[in-house]
């Protein structure tokens, strides 16, 4: 495994930006944070330039049930305009992009983990790796929009033209066990 010239050097601001396009033509502009050669193929860890967001809902029968991510494109189509309006109230612009929904604008400050040292660990939120942005109702169903607190990396294959391509399901399943090691290696090189 070797790194390529696309790799971000020592956190300098000379990151290379690329556009990832999905099968329906939606695009997502990302920085190449790290690239590597695996089995003769160039792969890259991409970090979206705009902030990724996720929409969750709950089963209306059980309010104590864990939140369910909204992943069905038809449901996202139904609630997208409402979600966009609620986020505009926070000066955030919701976008339908490849791989994930994103927002343009300045996110609120992330909560300081040390702010509540006496917090009961049993009362920690189910969303400890996500930060709540807003909630809304659509047709009497509650939804909430969160942004990840950790970097949202996307593993992509680099084609011969230096452009990223989404991985097939089979390719992703084959490489998925290596992701933690690749992310650790990337963070080690930043130190």
């Amino acid at each position: 495994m070797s790194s390529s010239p696309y790799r971000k050097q020592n956190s300098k601001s000379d990151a290379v930006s690329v556009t990832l396009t999905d099968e329906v033509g939606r695009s997502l502009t990302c920085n190449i944070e790290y690239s590597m050669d695996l089995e003769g193929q160039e792969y890259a860890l991409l970090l979206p330039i705009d902030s990724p967001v996720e929409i969750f809902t709950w089963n209306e029968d059980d309010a104590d049930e864990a939140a369910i991510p909204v992943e069905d494109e038809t449901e996202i189509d139904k609630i997208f305009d409402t979600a966009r309006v609620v986020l505009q109230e926070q000066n955030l612009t919701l976008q339908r992009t490849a791989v994930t929904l994103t927002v343009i604008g300045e996110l609120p400050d992330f909560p300081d983990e040390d702010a509540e040292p006496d917090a009961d660990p049993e009362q920690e939120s189910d969303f400890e790796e996500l930060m709540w942005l807003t909630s809304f109702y659509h047709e009497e169903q509650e939804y909430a929009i969160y942004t990840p607190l950790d970097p949202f990396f996307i593993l992509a294959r680099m084609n011969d033209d230096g452009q990223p391509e989404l991985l097939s399901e089979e390719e992703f399943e084959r490489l998925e066990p290596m992701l933690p090691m690749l992310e650790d290696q990337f963070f080690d090189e930043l130190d």
Side-chain angles (χ1 to χ4, degrees):
M1 183 160 55
S2 64
S3 25
S4 83
Y6 295 121
R7 185 174 52 89
K8 191 172 176 179
Q9 298 289 325
N10 300 326
S11 299
K12 293 180 187 172
S13 60
D14 59 354
V16 175
S17 293
V18 293
T19 300
L20 181 65
T21 304
D22 67 12
E23 62 277 353
V24 295
R26 290 183 297 229
S27 61
L28 179 64
T29 304
C30 300
N31 286 331
I32 296 176
E33 294 296 316
Y34 185 77
S35 66
M36 74 290 306
D37 184 81
L38 295 172
E39 301 168 358
Q41 175 64 54
E42 184 83 19
Y43 293 93
L45 281 179
L46 307 177
L47 185 64
I49 290 176
D50 297 322
S51 302
V53 293
E54 296 180 56
I55 301 177
F56 290 85
T57 191
W58 291 263
N59 185 335
E60 37 189 84
D61 299 335
D62 186 0
D64 294 332
E65 188 175 310
I68 304 163
V70 177
E71 296 172 336
D72 179 59
E73 292 291 329
T74 306
E75 187 171 4
I76 292 173
D77 288 341
K78 274 187 354 185
I79 64 174
F80 185 82
D81 288 338
T82 305
R84 185 177 56 206
V85 168
V86 224
L87 285 168
Q88 283 175 343
E89 294 171 3
Q90 296 186 23
N91 297 320
L92 297 171
T93 303
L94 183 63
Q95 305 177 103
R96 286 295 290 268
T97 51
V99 181
T100 184
L101 296 171
T102 58
V103 292
I104 298 173
E106 190 169 326
L107 293 174
D109 291 333
F110 291 116
D112 184 7
E113 292 178 9
D114 300 327
E116 296 181 43
D118 299 329
D120 182 0
E122 290 193 22
Q123 291 196 358
E124 285 184 20
S125 167
D126 290 337
F127 305 111
E128 55 191 290
E129 71 268 350
L130 300 170
M131 182 178 77
W132 176 83
L133 294 176
T134 190
S135 295
F136 65 95
Y137 283 87
H138 181 81
E139 297 178 359
E140 299 183 19
Q141 178 66 43
E142 183 180 8
Y143 296 89
I145 303 173
Y146 291 84
T147 187
L149 292 174
D150 294 326
F152 185 88
F153 290 116
I154 301 165
L155 182 62
R157 175 184 348 93
M158 301 302 288
N159 67 22
D160 293 337
D161 296 328
Q163 292 302 307
E165 297 177 345
L166 290 172
L167 304 179
S168 67
E169 258 185 70
E170 298 80 25
E171 192 174 12
F172 182 78
E173 287 174 8
R174 184 173 52 83
L175 296 174
E176 187 175 27
M178 292 187 224
L179 283 177
M181 175 196 67
L182 295 174
E183 288 181 5
D184 289 345
Q185 184 176 354
F186 165 65
F187 287 117
D188 287 347
E189 287 189 17
L190 287 180
D191 291 339

